[in-house]
Amino acid sequence: MEITNIQTTPFDDQRPGTSGLRKKVKVFQQPHYLENFVQSIFSALEGFQGKTLVVGGDGRYYNREALQVILKMAAANGFGKVLVGCGALLSTPAASCVIRKYHAFGGIILSASHNPGGPNADFGIKYNTGNGGPAPEKITDAIYNLSLEISEYHTLETADINLDLIGEQMIGDMHVEIINPVSDYADLMESIFDFNAMRTLLSSGDFTMRFDAMNAITGPYAYEILVQRLGAAEGTVLRGEPLADFGGAHPDPNLKHAEELVASMNGGNAANFGAASDGDGDRNMILGYDFYVSPSDSLAVLADNATLVPGYAQGLTGVARSMPTSQAVDRVADELGIECYETPTGWKFFGNLLDAGKITLCGEESFGTGSDHVREKDGLWAVLFWLNILAVRKQSVADIVYEHWRKYGRDVYTRHDYEAVSVEGANALMEQLRAHSSELIEQKFDEYEVEHCDDFRYTDPIDHSVSSHQGIRILFTSSARIIYRLSGTGTDGATLRVYIEQPENNSEKLDWDPQDSLAKLIALSSAIADIEKHTGRKKPDVIT
Ligand code: G1P
Ligand code: ZN
């Protein structure tokens, strides 16, 4: 079959963000826009001729169309084989699992994660390398630079293939294998967790769980694992059908967007354990009866209880958290005598540490938790980890967390997001902080004395690459912290994230609402950065 070379001109806005290229669907639908980016990915890679690529997406609007384009371009660029999740589906952690299991050269994931979907909403595309993880900055920078110079791309003029038929097909000389998107991932989960103990708990009659798939990708995965393999009751999985627009909802598992699930965890009919995952299945939210577990606490509890899970029975080599994530897991690492690494925001920074065997578990405050089983954060995995702990400890979620706080203290934590604010205002706010950071050191604001203030800079301990400007940190002598950074995943204006944290060891105050415990520090965070002046906002849009 003839390869066609199509002439094109560059777009100047194809720089991948925290997690791939995310834009409005309408932007991706411009002629040549998707093709330019895909060609830039392939041109940035070397040595993939005849090798295997994995492709799948979270099922959102434009997923199938984009996948057909990518298949033809992969064939024209010389890949030997592509593994595609049936229905064009693969959750992000499942894609990572498949890349690793079949030793693929890499993979392309079509997703805008927790961003809304539909013709007027968001789409995204990202490249993962052969370790199953997001491409490092070296590659994403190369992709961007190529996108600024592109003059042609390669494709094949051929009919679309049937994405819903499991088995082999051909595009030109390239094999396309449509695979079951769930089974490899479900098998991996079965190899890590104590399915017998979990099955016993779920059939005990006095334990119920609810999993909210938010009309996104994890519905089929949760149904297969929780209902089919673990025997949970029908009805355990809520909003289980992946929809192209997520039913008009925002598929982000937090207290605001999983409102119905949260409400159903109180009162007479409440379940013992509640959980949710996001658009592409890599995030998780954990709830107990009338109890919310913050992601930072969840990571610390998982680390502390890891040896209860067969897959981690040997213990942890080390742990890592992103810089704005609370310091709760640091305390567990101290107790276990293992290293805790502090990385910039974004999963890609965990890859080298995982590959080098330096860490077993890692996580972010943004509802992301994971381990060395794949190279992405993994929503259902975190839910199963909790279920495994509950099955062994036979205590409630709240009891386990309170016990944890009594032992280690509580890192009271909140994140305030100011969404879709003006880019100029947000940049000015960050500039002002940066300019004044040295003056802040040793200043005292009531009981809060600033010990250190900087713009976080990370040197990767494995490849020594340096990532600068990763967020302004104000560190107080008491270990309290205020951190400011701008989101790298939004598609509307700028989003300012303010992370506020303070350790609490007073057992009388462990159950306080973080917004109350942190009230003074929250007010201080607004004043120091002049948030209202720069954003025009009096209060945040989302509090987690
Ligand atoms: C957000 C989260 C970050 C996460 C990323 C991808 O990025 O804050 O922790 O890795 O989404 O899920 P941000 O928008 O803050 O750049
Ligand atoms: Zn996601």
Side-chain angles (χ1 to χ4, degrees):
M1 203 172 288
E2 248 335 82
I3 295 173
T4 330
N5 299 320
I6 311 271
Q7 304 304 306
T8 185
T9 50
F11 293 88
D12 62 5
D13 64 347
Q14 297 196 326
R15 182 191 279 286
T18 312
S19 191
L21 184 68
R22 279 191 206 167
K23 299 283 174 197
K24 295 282 174 223
V25 167
K26 295 249 161 16
V27 174
F28 272 104
Q29 285 172 328
Q30 298 172 82
H32 307 311
Y33 192 91
L34 172 69
E35 290 85 348
N36 275 19
F37 190 70
V38 172
Q39 185 61 53
S40 302
I41 296 177
F42 292 152
S43 302
L45 307 174
E46 268 169 33
F48 60 78
Q49 300 301 316
K51 302 242 167 88
T52 300
L53 183 72
V54 173
V55 188
D58 64 10
R60 69 177 58 229
Y61 188 85
Y62 201 52
N63 187 152
R64 284 172 173 264
E65 293 83 344
L67 203 136
Q68 298 282 4
V69 168
I70 292 167
L71 289 178
K72 290 168 195 168
M73 291 184 65
N77 276 273
F79 274 96
K81 180 172 183 174
V82 178
L83 298 174
V84 184
C86 190
L89 299 177
L90 272 178
S91 78
T92 291
S96 186
C97 158
V98 170
I99 293 170
R100 293 169 67 78
K101 180 166 177 179
Y102 298 103
H103 307 290
F105 183 86
I108 290 181
I109 301 175
L110 302 172
S111 164
S113 187
H114 50 285
N115 295 13
N120 297 313
D122 295 353
F123 188 73
I125 170 167
K126 71 172 184 165
Y127 179 71
N128 281 29
T129 49
N131 71 346
E137 276 184 335
K138 197 173 64 184
I139 296 182
T140 53
D141 287 347
I143 294 170
Y144 175 58
N145 290 332
L146 286 160
S147 79
L148 294 175
E149 290 167 4
I150 189 167
S151 57
E152 66 171 16
Y153 61 83
H154 316 302
T155 187
L156 291 186
E157 299 280 341
T158 175
D160 284 356
I161 65 153
N162 183 345
L163 295 170
D164 300 302
L165 189 68
I166 300 230
E168 286 249 337
Q169 302 171 51
M170 296 295 287
I171 295 188
D173 295 333
M174 185 181 83
H175 296 260
V176 178
E177 190 180 342
I178 308 287
I179 59 169
N180 179 319
V182 174
S183 52
D184 291 310
Y185 177 83
D187 292 348
L188 178 62
M189 294 302 110
E190 201 158 352
S191 76
I192 296 173
F193 297 108
D194 188 346
F195 270 38
N196 284 332
M198 291 147 85
R199 212 174 282 124
T200 307
L201 177 70
L202 284 165
S203 60
S204 66
D206 47 30
F207 182 90
T208 50
M209 84 171 273
R210 260 177 218 141
F211 178 83
D212 184 357
M214 307 189 90
N215 290 135
I217 187 76
T218 48
Y221 292 85
Y223 188 78
E224 168 67 19
I225 296 170
L226 296 172
V227 180
Q228 302 282 88
R229 299 200 187 190
L230 288 169
E234 291 285 342
T236 298
V237 181
L238 315 174
R239 296 197 280 177
E241 192 193 339
L243 300 176
D245 66 350
F246 308 117
H250 196 142
D252 199 3
N254 59 36
L255 294 174
K256 179 170 172 186
H257 297 306
E259 219 175 12
E260 264 174 57
L261 172 74
V262 174
S264 80
M265 294 302 295
N266 283 306
N269 226 354
N272 307 77
F273 179 45
S277 189
D278 73 328
D280 63 332
D282 58 357
R283 295 187 170 199
N284 73 91
M285 177 170 69
I286 301 294
L287 302 168
Y289 176 82
D290 197 17
F291 192 83
Y292 160 75
V293 186
S294 84
S296 297
D297 282 335
S298 176
L299 174 63
V301 170
L302 299 192
D304 202 31
N305 289 276
T307 52
L308 302 180
V309 171
Y312 309 102
Q314 307 306 317
L316 308 175
T317 58
V319 292
R321 61 163 172 83
S322 65
M323 183 272 283
T325 303
S326 100
Q327 299 161 92
V329 73
D330 305 37
R331 310 191 195 291
V332 177
D334 260 1
E335 170 82 14
L336 297 176
I338 56 175
E339 195 70 38
C340 177
Y341 296 85
E342 186 177 39
T343 59
T345 295
W347 209 258
K348 58 182 174 239
F349 294 102
F350 295 131
N352 279 349
L353 295 168
L354 289 163
D355 284 350
K358 298 272 184 208
I359 59 169
T360 315
L361 294 190
C362 46
E364 296 194 90
E365 50 65 41
S366 51
F367 300 85
T369 331
S371 89
D372 57 1
H373 69 291
V374 289
R375 291 295 182 273
E376 289 279 4
K377 57 188 177 245
D378 190 343
L380 258 175
W381 166 90
V383 175
L384 296 170
F385 203 134
W386 266 95
L387 193 61
N388 196 146
I389 293 172
L390 295 172
V392 176
R393 289 189 50 171
K394 302 186 171 63
Q395 288 170 283
S396 72
V397 172
D399 286 350
I400 290 173
V401 176
Y402 271 106
E403 212 170 280
H404 187 91
W405 288 340
R406 281 193 292 272
K407 178 170 175 194
Y408 291 103
R410 175 177 183 185
D411 288 90
V412 185
Y413 186 86
T414 191
R415 183 178 105 182
H416 287 199
D417 291 339
Y418 298 79
E419 294 183 335
V421 300
S422 95
V423 175
E424 294 75 34
N427 285 338
L429 180 150
M430 294 300 284
E431 270 317 310
Q432 180 179 317
L433 281 170
R434 223 167 261 137
H436 293 286
S437 60
S438 58
E439 291 160 31
L440 277 172
I441 297 176
E442 287 181 18
Q443 273 200 49
K444 247 186 135 176
F445 303 90
D446 294 334
E447 71 264 41
Y448 296 103
E449 186 178 345
V450 180
E451 183 172 74
H452 184 76
C453 180
D454 67 5
D455 193 349
F456 184 59
R457 183 170 186 271
Y458 178 68
T459 306
D460 185 290
I462 312 301
D463 67 16
H464 309 293
S465 59
V466 175
S467 305
S468 314
H469 301 305
Q470 297 297 323
I472 306 286
R473 318 185 281 177
I474 305 180
L475 312 180
F476 298 92
T477 49
S478 59
S479 282
R481 304 192 302 168
I482 300 174
I483 291 148
Y484 305 87
R485 57 178 287 283
L486 300 185
S487 158
T489 56
T491 54
D492 267 332
T495 291
L496 169 69
R497 305 203 194 285
V498 187
Y499 310 78
I500 301 149
E501 169 187 9
Q502 170 173 288
E504 180 60 76
N505 291 307
N506 182 343
S507 59
E508 306 282 296
K509 295 188 183 171
L510 290 178
D511 61 349
W512 283 24
D513 180 338
Q515 304 310 315
D516 298 332
S517 309
L518 298 170
K520 263 186 159 173
L521 214 48
I522 291 170
L524 186 58
S525 72
S526 300
I528 290 181
D530 272 337
I531 293 181
E532 190 178 343
K533 182 183 111 194
H534 289 295
T535 65
R537 302 284 171 80
K538 285 199 188 321
K539 54 182 182 52
D541 303 276
V542 183
I543 295 182
T544 47

